[in-house]
Amino acid sequence: MNFEMTPLSLAGACQDKSDALIVLVPEGFLPGKDAISLLISHALEAKDFELKAGKMLSAYRLPGIQASRIWLVGCAQGTPAQVKTAISAVMPAIKSAQSKKMVVVFAAAPQAQAVQAALFTVAEASYVYTTTLSKPAGRKLTHLKLGVPALSEATQQSFDQAAALAMGIEVAKEWANRPANHATPTMLGDAAKMIAKGAKFTCEVLGLKEVAKLGMGSFMSVAKGSREPLRFIVMQYHGAAKTQAPVVLVGKGITFDTGGISIKPAAEMDEMKFDMSGAASVLGVFKSLSLLKPAINVVGLIPACENMPDGLAVKPGDVVTSMSGQTIEILNTDAEGRLVLCDALTYAERFKPKAVIDIATLTGACVVALGSVRSGLFATDDGLAQALLQAGEKAMDLCWRMPLDEDYAEGLKSNFADVANVGGRAGGAVTAAKFLQRFAKAFSWAHLDIAGTAWKGGAAKGATGRPVGLLMHYLLSHETTNAPKTKTSARRTQTGIA
Ligand code: BES
Ligand code: MN
Ligand code: ZN
């Protein structure tokens, strides 16, 4: 999807030749002498239109209005939530009209945050997965133009940020949605290289030989059962001085989780193609970074492999040695996420990071605890936890802090290794986090369990793109003010799902 924002009065909007023109009308709107203003005034007078958020009136081929279809939509006081309601109300009509280009005009100057809300709502509603369909149904909305009475620095900045975030979210959704045979570890590595190929970026994709040399025995033990070769992806973005410690993001990249020898039941196992949603969110963040070029340093690490049962697969009771030197008794091969993440966390130490955040569809227990509304947040650093909670609120991509009391680690004790990979059914999301914490002692660390939030099941089955919004808001809050601000190219850039 392409986004653009231009100054556009209602008189100017009358000349717009698009096939879908949406006019957002707030309370207190002052009409001019143009055809759209007249339409609004007449419709309000006749009580055929109201300014409550989401109230609509549509018309076709009106004299003085070049667009073939026009929708007037009320947006009350024009708050972000009301703009979201207004646009959500009109989107089904736009979709069924099969418009390719949509123009949304704010009849009165919008709040900067409302511009973001408008863009996000359109992007969210118009994403359609088509990659593995032989005949994609219908025409896709590919272009959104936002018209505002006048461009201010604040609205421009808000728009650029929203456009970059929306494109990052789209990348995350797209990769998470792709079936496991269309999103192998190798393909994820290639995608990372495509996304991180511009100036200020580097990307390295390690294979089995390099990973073995690093001593990632835990990660390798998960990959052993699959014919698909593992990949360890290292993406770097240098937007600030080298002296500035980076934030490291670690995304769980299990491209399919059968459970391994501790195999999962058949029902809904297909959804385990989404088990690389953490990795997809890292790719999404890097896409957004490539568009916004903020003054920060970020590293993205993705341990990617399949978890399969096989004659060579790791077995319950096997003991493996992690990169940290700690030995692990694998009591359940379905608790594989923590086994790939722990080696990535140890690898993260070399960046002397300001903070490390891992993002993982880690436990069914987290879905039981928090459902699909908030991601589980675990953190060893209160400041980091606070910052992530706040970023989630701003991005409308919520999380909730969970405990890390030492008592929760009790069940992870093993008679045959330093630690076991599971600790009993109770408090499963916390014991998983306690396991990871053993490998995150060298830095300030947070863990986001997105098992409940990364995708939707049922009829609306599909990835959500979470928590790209949360992560980007967090990262942007770190932007240094002393570095020269590079002009964003988001509004001129085509979306490319690498
Ligand atoms: N990828 C799953 C977690 C998951 C399950 C996410 C269902 C979303 C929906 C993870 O690898 C897993 O299998 N975890 C086990 C851990 C258990 C064996 C301790 C789980 O949650 O059952
Ligand atoms: Mn599993
Ligand atoms: Zn898994």
Side-chain angles (χ1 to χ4, degrees), residues 252 254 257 264 272 275 307 334 336-337 361-362:
K252 173 178 171 183
I254 299 295
D257 181 12
K264 287 180 182 293
M272 284 299 116
D275 212 17
N307 185 24
D334 197 10
E336 85 298 340
T361 48
L362 204 62

Side-chain angles (χ1 to χ4, degrees), residues 14 16-21 35-36 39 58-71:
C14 290
D16 195 285
K17 289 197 174 73
S18 61
D19 46 3
L21 177 64
I36 295 177
L39 173 64
S58 68
Y60 186 67
R61 296 226 168 142
L62 287 186
I65 297 173
Q66 299 287 314
S68 54
R69 296 185 194 83
I70 180 168
W71 282 266

Side-chain angles (χ1 to χ4, degrees), residues 230-273:
L230 65 75
R231 291 289 181 262
F232 189 79
I233 304 168
V234 185
M235 306 167 85
Q236 297 195 54
Y237 167 65
H238 305 280
K242 278 221 163 72
T243 49
Q244 243 192 359
V247 172
V248 178
L249 304 176
V250 181
K252 173 178 171 183
I254 299 295
T255 57
F256 196 79
D257 181 12
T258 64
I261 297 298
S262 315
I263 199 160
K264 287 180 182 293
E268 291 172 8
M269 202 208 268
D270 66 290
E271 293 190 11
M272 284 299 116
K273 71 169 183 178

Side-chain angles (χ1 to χ4, degrees), residues 171 188-197 200-205 232-238 246-249 279-287 289-290 297-302 347 351 498:
V171 165
L188 290 189
D190 293 342
K193 279 187 185 156
M194 287 287 288
I195 292 167
K197 71 173 173 214
K200 301 190 180 184
F201 285 90
T202 62
C203 180
E204 257 182 296
V205 179
F232 189 79
I233 304 168
V234 185
M235 306 167 85
Q236 297 195 54
Y237 167 65
H238 305 280
V247 172
V248 178
L249 304 176
S281 76
V282 174
L283 296 180
V285 164
F286 271 75
K287 177 72 189 182
L289 292 174
S290 75
N297 293 329
V298 187
V299 176
L301 304 177
I302 299 175
Y347 187 87
F351 299 102

Side-chain angles (χ1 to χ4, degrees), residues 137-159:
R139 292 204 303 169
K140 256 210 268 197
L141 184 64
T142 54
H143 196 100
L144 168 69
K145 181 157 102 179
L146 289 177
V148 289
L151 285 183
S152 71
E153 181 72 20
T155 41
Q156 185 65 56
Q157 223 190 354
S158 178
F159 169 82

